Amino acid sequence: MRFRRIVLVFLLVGGFLYLTTHLPRSLNRASLNHVSLFGSHAPDSGLELTEAEAAPAYDAEEQNNIAVYKRVLPSVVNITSTTLVYNFFYGTVPQQGQGSGFILDKAGHVLTNYHVVEGANRGVEVLLSNKRRYAAKVVGTDKVHDLALLQIDAPNLQAVTLADSSELSVGQKVYAIGNPFGLNGTMTRGIISSIRDIRGAEGAPIGDAIQTDAAINPGNSGGPLLNSRGEVIGINTMIASNGAEQSSGIGFAIPINTAKAVLADLTRYGKVKRPSLGISSYGIGPDLASQMGLAVDSGVLIQKVVPGGAAERAGLRGGNQQAYVGNMAILLGGDLIVAIDGQEVTDPQDINAMMDKHQAGDTISVTIYRGRKQITLKLILGEAQDQST
């Protein structure tokens, strides 16, 4: 029995020596792993991977995506606002909200949405892409346009480049960079889906708002919407989510030209000195114009002029005869505005859009119908008061 064991050991050792010394040199280690000592092939259970010889080159589109991200990311910031609120169980407690913003200049001015910092009675903090945090001062706010200008004291800031948003096209490629759900430095892309007038969260009109299918979620508010060159064309502000509180492929951005129009006032006065005609008005359509016997099919009927306002100084007149449209009382007999600076006016929203392109003190021409007589007057815009256009 012992002799058999010794013989078996010799056979095994001898077999191993034979395999390692007599197999062809071309048989590598991987092949040996598939050879059984008993002369048959074991089942192939090894893992064989196919790997690229080198990192693949990026295509042109990918290269542009990467270039835009690297160029703009250092200019995008995360904004945290802290507000003290009353809790029934715990008393006064801090509550934090988050949004995005972007650096306008080396002096540390940061543009964001008003609703990102609204009510922040315990401070606003800005987090840069390099993870450094800075306390921010609120320089000025514009609730109507949902804009806020902040400032931080930080070195070596990299500012964005602002584009002209007046010549945008549906189908144009866009990028959004921000902090959705607190995920800093997130970039999404899409196209301009439409350019339309909408109403913001507070009900104020946003003219020529940029609609996009680039994913915009809570936390993106105040961040930049970019063109394919990495230039800012808009400020991401809201989403249409049907209550889902997340992207549904319909997001909106305030056009950057709207922000340009108010930045000087925000810096100088801390608020926007909004221009105004100094009137209250009512939009007239074809049906109502026909019933009233007006000379044209549409326009803006002046109801009242603000005492001492721009319209009164220019000699415009309000209504003096009460009538009803449904249950709404209106005043007839006032001037009908049909154009401003040669551009047709059909409703009060047209006037609001034109005011966004001007400042208080600017001179404009106003074309009206007084009865059936057309008159064009020069008017120096005043500063808006509550309830006036």
Side-chain angles (χ1 to χ4, degrees):
M1 190 67 169
R2 183 176 180 184
F3 176 73
R4 289 181 181 177
R5 291 178 180 174
I6 294 174
V7 171
L8 182 57
V9 169
F10 273 107
L11 287 174
L12 291 173
V13 173
F16 177 76
L17 291 175
Y18 177 82
L19 287 174
T20 56
T21 57
H22 290 77
L23 285 177
R25 293 182 181 272
S26 61
L27 189 63
N28 56 28
R29 181 177 297 180
S31 298
L32 184 61
N33 287 339
H34 294 285
V35 178
S36 169
L37 292 176
F38 296 98
S40 62
H41 291 280
D44 186 3
S45 60
L47 178 63
E48 297 182 3
L49 303 177
T50 302
E51 298 186 34
E53 295 182 0
Y58 300 114
D59 63 27
E61 186 175 16
E62 291 172 325
Q63 289 176 15
N64 190 67
N65 295 344
I66 294 168
V68 168
Y69 184 74
K70 288 183 176 180
R71 185 183 313 130
V72 181
L73 181 63
S75 306
V76 180
V77 303
N78 184 20
I79 297 172
T80 302
S81 59
T82 304
T83 306
L84 289 182
V85 297
Y86 179 77
N87 182 283
F88 179 80
F89 295 100
Y90 301 103
T92 303
V93 294
Q95 186 177 62
Q96 290 189 328
Q98 286 197 331
S100 304
F102 51 93
I103 299 167
L104 293 175
D105 58 19
K106 292 185 179 297
H109 288 104
V110 174
L111 188 62
T112 186
N113 284 143
Y114 169 78
H115 74 259
V116 171
V117 299
E118 182 180 9
N121 53 24
R122 283 299 179 267
V124 178
E125 187 178 66
V126 167
L127 174 68
L128 302 182
S129 63
N130 62 11
K131 308 305 180 185
R132 294 186 180 275
R133 297 179 181 272
Y134 297 91
K137 171 187 174 183
V138 179
V139 175
T141 60
D142 179 7
K143 185 175 181 179
V144 171
H145 288 123
D146 195 18
L147 296 172
L149 184 65
L150 316 179
Q151 188 169 20
I152 60 174
D153 183 9
N156 305 318
L157 295 175
Q158 181 173 320
V160 296
T161 299
L162 305 183
D164 180 359
S165 59
S166 65
E167 299 295 332
L168 301 177
S169 298
V170 173
Q172 183 178 336
K173 184 188 299 182
V174 293
Y175 302 92
I177 300 180
N179 308 289
F181 300 111
L183 301 173
N184 298 349
T186 297
M187 181 170 82
T188 56
R189 67 172 188 166
I191 62 170
I192 294 177
S193 305
S194 181
I195 298 174
R196 66 176 77 246
D197 295 342
I198 64 169
R199 291 196 172 273
E202 300 292 330
I206 301 176
D208 294 329
I210 306 166
Q211 180 182 330
T212 179
D213 64 351
I216 296 174
N217 286 288
N220 274 116
S221 289
L225 188 69
L226 310 157
N227 61 21
S228 59
R229 295 182 297 277
E231 301 163 342
V232 179
I233 60 173
I235 305 101
N236 300 318
T237 187
M238 60 184 293
I239 57 176
S241 61
N242 293 325
E245 297 300 326
Q246 61 186 15
S247 176
S248 59
I250 301 177
F252 294 96
I254 302 165
I256 195 61
N257 283 8
T258 298
K260 290 179 185 178
V262 302
L263 281 174
D265 279 357
L266 289 178
T267 305
R268 189 175 307 162
Y269 307 113
K271 64 175 185 176
V272 176
K273 298 182 70 173
R274 197 173 313 286
S276 170
L277 296 179
I279 63 173
S280 60
S281 60
Y282 186 82
I284 301 295
D287 291 342
L288 194 54
S290 176
Q291 294 175 29
M292 296 168 60
L294 299 179
V296 290
D297 287 340
S298 62
V300 174
L301 186 65
I302 299 179
Q303 300 290 284
K304 296 179 181 179
V305 294
V306 176
E312 185 182 63
R313 294 195 304 268
L316 294 177
R317 301 174 183 174
N320 54 18
Q321 181 182 355
Q322 184 169 292
Y324 286 88
V325 178
N327 294 324
M328 179 179 293
I330 66 171
L331 291 174
L332 306 181
D335 294 331
L336 182 72
I337 300 175
V338 294
I340 294 178
D341 287 338
Q343 297 185 35
E344 183 181 18
V345 170
T346 59
D347 60 49
Q349 295 304 319
D350 291 339
I351 296 179
N352 289 332
M354 292 178 186
M355 292 303 98
D356 284 344
K357 301 174 183 178
H358 290 281
Q359 294 182 332
D362 287 354
T363 299
I364 62 172
S365 64
V366 180
T367 301
I368 64 169
Y369 272 90
R370 183 168 290 166
R372 293 197 167 267
K373 183 180 179 180
Q374 187 183 84
I375 305 172
T376 298
L377 303 170
K378 292 293 184 181
L379 181 149
I380 300 175
L381 293 171
E383 186 175 347
Q385 306 295 323
D386 291 343
Q387 307 303 321
S388 68
T389 300

